Amino acid sequence: MKRIVSMFLAGAMALSLAACGGSASTSTAASTASSAAASASAAAEGDSDLAYIKNKGKMVIGYTVYEPMNYTDADGNFTGFDTELATAVCEKLGVEPEFVEINWDTKIVELDAKSIDCIWNGMTITDEIQQNAACTKAYAKNAQVVVVKDGTDYSSTADLVGKTVVAEAGSAGEAAISEDENLAQADYISKSVQTDCLMEVAAGTADAAVLDLTLANAMIGEGTDYANLKIVDELNAEEYGVAFRKGSDAAAAVDAAFDELKADGTMQQLADKYDLALAD
């Protein structure tokens, strides 16, 4: 009797296992399909720079000290037009901004190495930048200007032939010097940041500096640390944009955020606060 019962139980267990086996096969197939879908989704996200940034939960922003774009104010607060604008954009994208000071001359290298996610620091949109990065549309206007010490005789860049002229390495100011027939004949010295250029001119170790109008307006003249400096020439007009990795879809997302911040008046309020002109 025990043997019959045992045989009955064994048979029942076999049927049960067979049934479970069928369920397991169905479950495995569903699981495999689900994993494949997840892998496909992950692969798609892997091609998305925006997804990469959002998955981290932060946007790493490369900058140099550049008033009024990114700088530390008299109260020790890190601020500026770009600082505030980037923070507002990051809020719309659902990520936190993380500002990292970089060497401007190696900004594209930093970007490609993913040390930073974007260059957001009064960056002039140039052909070179557009060839090597994904740029947003222009958001502010700027120009390159010649700054000299008050009392200097200046009528044109021809007065600087053979003189010492400084600009930030890798900047639009450096490009303006090389493209100007007269400035190309000056004794050019590159500096790591634009503020160093002002220091050189103020100290008399350089005859002139070529740098951004926005910085010059904020840092020289009456009531500033460089009251003895003045703008004597404007070389060319230009526009600022933000650079992401080449092929990045994050640039388009920032453009959309710009549109919203223009529509609600935020960008204009920041432009008024920092005395800047927005791009058309």
Side-chain angles (χ1 to χ4, degrees):
M1 180 68 178
K2 287 181 179 179
R3 186 177 178 185
I4 293 172
V5 171
S6 297
M7 289 176 63
F8 173 78
L9 290 173
M13 288 177 67
L15 288 171
S16 176
L17 286 172
C20 287
S23 297
S25 297
T26 304
S27 176
T28 300
S31 177
T32 301
S34 176
S35 296
S39 297
S41 176
E45 285 194 357
D47 295 332
S48 167
D49 201 35
L50 180 61
Y52 165 74
I53 292 168
K54 286 190 171 185
N55 286 340
K56 288 190 303 175
K58 65 180 180 181
M59 182 185 290
V60 183
I61 300 164
Y63 78 97
T64 61
V65 177
Y66 172 13
E67 189 175 349
M69 310 311 280
N70 307 87
Y71 67 102
T72 301
D73 66 18
D75 297 322
N77 301 309
F78 183 66
T79 189
F81 178 86
D82 277 344
T83 305
E84 291 201 48
L85 180 58
T87 300
V89 168
C90 283
E91 184 177 350
K92 287 192 173 293
L93 296 180
V95 296
E96 292 294 323
E98 180 180 316
F99 296 91
V100 175
E101 190 170 358
I102 61 171
N103 181 331
W104 195 250
D105 202 26
T106 57
K107 54 189 178 291
I108 296 297
V109 175
E110 297 268 15
L111 197 59
D112 291 342
K114 290 193 172 182
S115 300
I116 57 174
D117 295 315
C118 65
I119 305 161
W120 200 330
N121 183 229
M123 184 201 71
T124 302
I125 300 174
T126 64
D127 290 340
E128 182 182 3
I129 287 292
Q130 290 180 311
Q131 288 167 9
N132 292 284
C135 290
T136 65
K137 58 188 173 185
Y139 64 87
K141 296 178 181 178
N142 186 44
Q144 292 303 305
V145 295
V146 178
V147 174
V148 299
K149 188 178 287 188
D150 200 18
T152 301
D153 289 331
Y154 182 94
S155 56
S156 72
T157 55
D159 295 326
L160 296 174
V161 172
K163 301 288 183 68
T164 301
V165 179
V166 292
E168 181 183 52
S171 68
E174 184 176 71
I177 290 171
S178 66
E179 293 165 3
D180 184 276
E181 181 182 0
N182 296 316
L183 293 176
Q185 299 178 63
D187 179 17
Y188 170 61
I189 298 175
S190 66
K191 306 302 294 184
S192 60
V193 292
Q194 293 192 79
T195 48
D196 285 351
C197 298
L198 295 177
M199 291 173 62
E200 295 284 352
V201 178
T205 49
D207 297 294
V210 178
L211 39 73
D212 289 335
L213 173 63
T214 50
L215 180 137
N217 279 336
M219 296 198 67
I220 72 173
E222 187 177 352
T224 71
D225 291 337
Y226 297 103
N228 63 333
L229 302 185
K230 64 178 181 179
I231 297 170
V232 290
D233 206 352
E234 186 172 307
L235 301 181
N236 58 339
E238 57 194 36
E239 294 179 314
Y240 287 156
V242 184
F244 288 86
R245 280 175 279 280
K246 192 171 180 65
S248 174
D249 56 346
V254 172
D255 279 342
F258 281 167
D259 289 341
E260 293 178 20
L261 292 169
K262 274 189 174 180
D264 68 14
T266 299
M267 286 183 73
Q268 188 58 58
Q269 288 173 9
L270 290 176
D272 293 341
K273 177 178 179 180
Y274 291 101
D275 195 23
L276 294 175
L278 294 180
D280 297 329

